[in-house]
Amino acid sequence: MPGTDRHARLLPDDLLARVHGRAADLDRDNAFPHEDLAELVAAGYLTAFVPERLGGAGLGLEAVAREQVRLAAAAPATALAVNMHLVVTGLAAWLVEHGDATVEFLLREAAAGEVFAFGNSEAGNDLVMFGSRTRAERTPEGGYRYTGTKIFTTLAPVWTRLATFGLDEDDPDGPRLVHGVVPRTSPGVSTRDDWDTLGMRATQSRTTVLDGAEAPPEWVYRRLPVGPSADPFVFALFAVFETLLAAVYTGIGRRALELGVEAAQRRTSMKHDGRTLDQDPDIRWRLADAAMAQDGAELGLYALARDVDEGADHGARWFAQLVGLKVRATETARVVVDGAIRVAGGSAYRSGSELARLYRDVLAGMFHPSDDESAHATLATSVLGPPRA
């Protein structure tokens, strides 16, 4: 990918400080971060992946992953919300860079200020991207009408373009999964106000109902057979989606470790003559253990993102590497948050504490694809071969 400067930054520290200052209120009020998004747009963050020739920053995956870690450390839900727009533009940038012009319209739309949501998840669909409960019906003009219910539609209050897919069972070549983009203005699009969750509340990932919502012919960019596919679109989607998810949760771990250190330096021990807990060998061990895990998460994230940028040859193990990255990042973040809470003590148990919010936010990691079971099946096949019938 172009623009692979690993140290490129779009987000100034003062912007991140303002985002951080709003996070607690947004969580408490179960509200969308409109001010955060406005600042991110003004900073050019939503066009981070858009090539410079189209007016964007032209960054590669590693550079954006590093920024997502920083943003998530400031406000996890804001980072996860914008993540889904970045997934759409990031996969488009990778495909365009590799010679696929069919998705360049996604980058042009983003450059024009459109906001993308990722409308793929469906209740009860454990095939995820390899099957769909949404019906895709071809129009006489060559577009598609989608009818179905999509859950976890992040950026629900503000998206203007929905990247979605459904199943066309009437295709003469056999059932096809049809990927296209639906504008919010299309008749048949409605959003339920149903996001009231344990954590990641500001993402406002509400349910989207599609009732014949139409993607015009020029915005239909893939018709794939049901099941796994070797189409480069599938690789681009997994590479960007899993890497940027890992970045968000790695950012949560980074912030939790900072808060654990602050707590150890602040708290004192009567048992040890009033010394601060950063001198207690047990506390030092606990924070060292958290730091070791966090270092591993960050190094692994940046290394694999760089491999995507540079086209490293992982061969048949690419998908195992990507899903493993996501699971390691989300699980490591949970371990680091837990360690920081144990160091901070009872004050972290108050609902208003930042560590309590991070504890709730980090739990969302288990629900994103690839889930733990799917990832382990992929890894097992990559090292043991497919299970025997």
Side-chain angles (χ1 to χ4, degrees):
M1 293 177 74
T4 55
D5 179 0
R6 297 195 292 272
H7 304 291
R9 285 192 173 186
L10 289 177
L11 303 179
D13 289 341
D14 60 336
L15 184 157
L16 293 176
R18 291 190 296 274
V19 167
H20 181 255
R22 292 187 284 260
D25 289 345
L26 292 167
D27 174 75
R28 182 197 63 221
D29 298 340
N30 194 31
F32 185 79
H34 290 283
E35 291 180 83
D36 293 357
L37 183 63
E39 290 210 53
L40 294 172
V41 169
Y45 197 52
L46 270 64
T47 56
F49 280 120
V50 175
E52 291 179 304
R53 63 182 174 83
L54 298 179
L59 298 185
L61 185 58
E62 185 188 353
V64 176
R66 288 178 178 271
E67 289 294 79
Q68 279 295 86
V69 170
R70 297 175 65 230
L71 181 58
T78 295
L80 187 60
V82 76
N83 216 56
M84 301 310 163
H85 172 92
L86 292 173
V87 167
V88 175
T89 55
L91 73 87
W94 189 93
L95 287 168
V96 168
E97 174 65 13
H98 289 78
D100 182 353
T102 64
V103 291
E104 185 165 304
F105 77 93
L106 296 169
L107 300 172
R108 294 185 181 277
E109 290 285 301
E114 304 297 343
V115 178
F116 284 90
F118 204 52
N120 289 334
S121 296
E122 300 165 340
N125 177 12
D126 56 358
L127 292 174
V128 194
M129 298 303 301
F130 300 144
S132 178
R133 292 185 165 188
T134 296
R135 186 172 77 252
E137 179 185 7
R138 190 178 178 92
T139 68
E141 298 77 22
Y144 277 84
R145 294 190 183 96
Y146 295 96
T147 300
T149 301
K150 302 293 186 177
I151 59 174
F152 301 144
T153 313
T154 303
L155 294 172
V158 298
W159 65 262
T160 61
R161 301 286 186 266
L162 183 70
T164 191
F165 82 129
L167 179 64
D168 178 6
E169 295 186 292
D170 300 320
D171 191 289
D173 296 325
R176 288 293 184 269
L177 296 169
V178 182
H179 295 261
V181 174
V182 172
R184 190 162 197 143
T185 54
S186 173
V189 175
S190 61
T191 300
R192 297 174 182 164
D193 187 4
D194 59 357
W195 190 249
D196 187 7
T197 51
L198 177 68
M200 291 294 188
R201 288 161 60 81
T203 66
Q204 289 302 299
S205 304
R206 303 171 186 175
T207 299
T208 300
V209 179
L210 304 176
D211 186 9
E214 188 170 339
E218 65 274 17
W219 285 3
V220 176
Y221 54 90
R222 280 299 188 280
R223 292 167 56 254
L224 302 176
V226 174
S229 170
D231 191 288
F233 165 75
V234 177
F235 173 79
L237 172 59
F238 268 82
V240 179
F241 186 87
E242 302 287 57
T243 301
L244 293 186
L245 269 178
V248 169
Y249 289 89
T250 300
I252 294 176
R254 178 186 286 187
R255 179 56 181 162
L257 181 58
E258 291 174 353
L259 292 170
V261 170
E262 290 174 8
Q265 293 172 337
R266 180 183 66 251
R267 297 181 67 200
T268 57
S269 170
M270 291 180 65
K271 184 172 62 176
H272 296 294
D273 300 322
R275 286 188 299 171
T276 53
L277 291 184
D278 60 346
Q279 301 305 305
D280 183 294
D282 294 330
I283 297 298
R284 292 175 68 85
W285 186 95
R286 188 177 294 281
L287 286 172
D289 200 49
M292 194 181 304
Q294 181 65 24
D295 283 347
E298 297 207 20
L299 292 169
L301 167 66
Y302 302 142
L304 198 59
R306 191 178 315 137
D307 281 356
V308 174
D309 285 335
E310 297 176 354
D313 184 10
H314 289 293
R317 295 214 69 228
W318 255 120
F319 287 95
Q321 298 279 17
L322 292 165
V323 300
L325 173 69
K326 179 266 174 180
V327 171
R328 287 192 304 274
T330 54
E331 292 301 310
T332 296
R334 291 177 65 192
V335 168
V336 175
V337 171
D338 183 79
I341 284 179
R342 291 173 186 272
V343 170
S347 64
Y349 198 58
R350 295 184 178 277
S351 62
S353 81
E354 186 174 355
L355 275 172
R357 174 163 51 84
L358 295 183
Y359 190 79
R360 291 184 287 105
D361 283 348
V362 80
L363 295 178
M366 71 178 76
F367 299 108
H368 304 295
S370 293
D371 64 22
D372 204 25
E373 293 80 9
S374 174
H376 278 78
T378 299
L379 267 293
T381 297
S382 78
V383 295
L384 297 171
R388 290 188 291 272

